[in-house]
């Protein structure tokens, strides 16, 4: 019996105490991606038809369906609006074990919030696929994006505190 194709998506939002330009930078800066997302390598080009590829170390533990987690995540920047949004298409996750998962899409929006010094970040990852690997991947990403965006918020908050402390020590 064939498995039915499903459309799955994960949408998460996070309020971040930084302007949209800073939040967008965190998705394209190698240093930032290592700092908040724990990537080991990143090659990201913030423009239309730019490449977006990041890699994580493989985990020591194995998921019952996906095997080890980590590996690579890559796609093509289809739409890029500086300090506002970007959209990746033909996104694939290539875990260390097993076949790639995809194609998927990733949409990121940074909306000014409050006085413009805050950003309401929205991330939506979606895909159409079938089978237990596809479903398990989206189940993991549901929690994964929640944790990743919280880590981005903490990372940027720590950066702001370091900047304030450095300024205070100079005066």
């Amino acid at each position: 019996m064939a498995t039915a194709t499903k459309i799955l998506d994960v949408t998460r939002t996070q309020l971040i105490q930084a302007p949209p330009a800073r939040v967008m930078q965190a998705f394209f800066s190698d240093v930032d991606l290592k700092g908040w997302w724990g990537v080991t390598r990143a090659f990201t080009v913030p423009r239309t038809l730019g490449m977006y590829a990041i890699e994580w170390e493989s985990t020591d533990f194995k998921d019952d369906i996906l095997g080890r987690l980590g590996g690579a995540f890559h796609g093509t920047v289809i739409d890029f609006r500086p300090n506002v949004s970007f959209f990746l298409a033909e996104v694939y996750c290539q875990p260390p074990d097993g076949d790639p998962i995809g194609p998927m899409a990733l949409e990121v929006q940074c909306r000014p919030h409050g006085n413009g010094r805050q950003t309401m970040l929205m991330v939506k990852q979606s895909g159409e696929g079938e089978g237990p690997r596809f479903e398990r991947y989206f189940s993991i990403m549901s929690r994964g994006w929640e944790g990743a965006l919280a880590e981005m918020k903490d990372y940027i908050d720590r950066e702001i505190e370091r900047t304030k402390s450095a300024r205070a020590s100079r005066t």
Side-chain angles (χ1 to χ4, degrees):
M1 185 165 130
T3 308
T5 298
K6 292 183 178 180
I7 298 173
L8 297 177
D9 70 80
V10 173
T11 302
R12 295 289 178 264
T13 58
Q14 180 71 57
L15 182 62
I16 298 180
Q17 302 297 317
R22 176 64 189 99
V23 175
M24 280 285 285
Q25 176 189 327
F27 282 96
F28 289 94
S29 160
D30 190 52
V31 170
D32 289 337
L33 286 164
K34 289 176 180 178
W36 71 269
W37 215 356
V39 305
T40 55
R41 291 191 298 172
F43 184 78
T44 60
V45 181
R47 66 175 182 233
T48 301
L49 297 182
M51 174 182 268
Y52 196 93
I54 54 179
E55 181 180 35
W56 296 270
E57 291 289 332
S58 300
T59 60
D60 292 334
F61 62 88
K62 289 185 176 187
D63 179 79
D64 292 341
I65 296 172
L66 296 176
R68 293 176 299 151
L69 303 180
F73 178 91
H74 59 88
T76 301
V77 179
I78 297 300
D79 185 38
F80 182 80
R81 297 173 191 209
N83 309 327
V84 176
S85 64
F86 68 94
F87 181 82
L88 303 179
E90 293 298 315
V91 174
Y92 286 86
C93 172
Q94 295 192 272
D97 305 319
D99 295 330
I101 299 165
M104 297 176 280
L106 179 69
E107 178 183 359
V108 174
Q109 294 180 3
C110 295
R111 295 209 168 113
H113 188 77
N115 59 6
R117 293 183 182 172
Q118 299 174 319
T119 301
M120 182 55 74
L121 172 63
M122 187 279 302
V123 174
K124 179 179 181 180
Q125 186 173 352
S126 59
E128 185 174 348
E130 58 187 47
R133 283 177 59 80
F134 179 77
E135 291 179 25
R136 178 65 177 157
Y137 174 80
F138 271 88
S139 172
I140 288 172
M141 289 312 298
S142 179
R143 292 185 312 273
W145 274 117
E146 201 168 291
L149 297 185
E151 188 54 43
M152 177 193 275
K153 177 190 180 316
D154 292 346
Y155 172 78
I156 291 176
D157 286 350
R158 288 189 305 269
E159 176 185 79
I160 290 168
E161 285 305 312
R162 282 191 302 273
T163 302
K164 285 180 184 176
S165 294
R167 284 186 187 144
S169 68
R170 283 185 254 155
T171 57

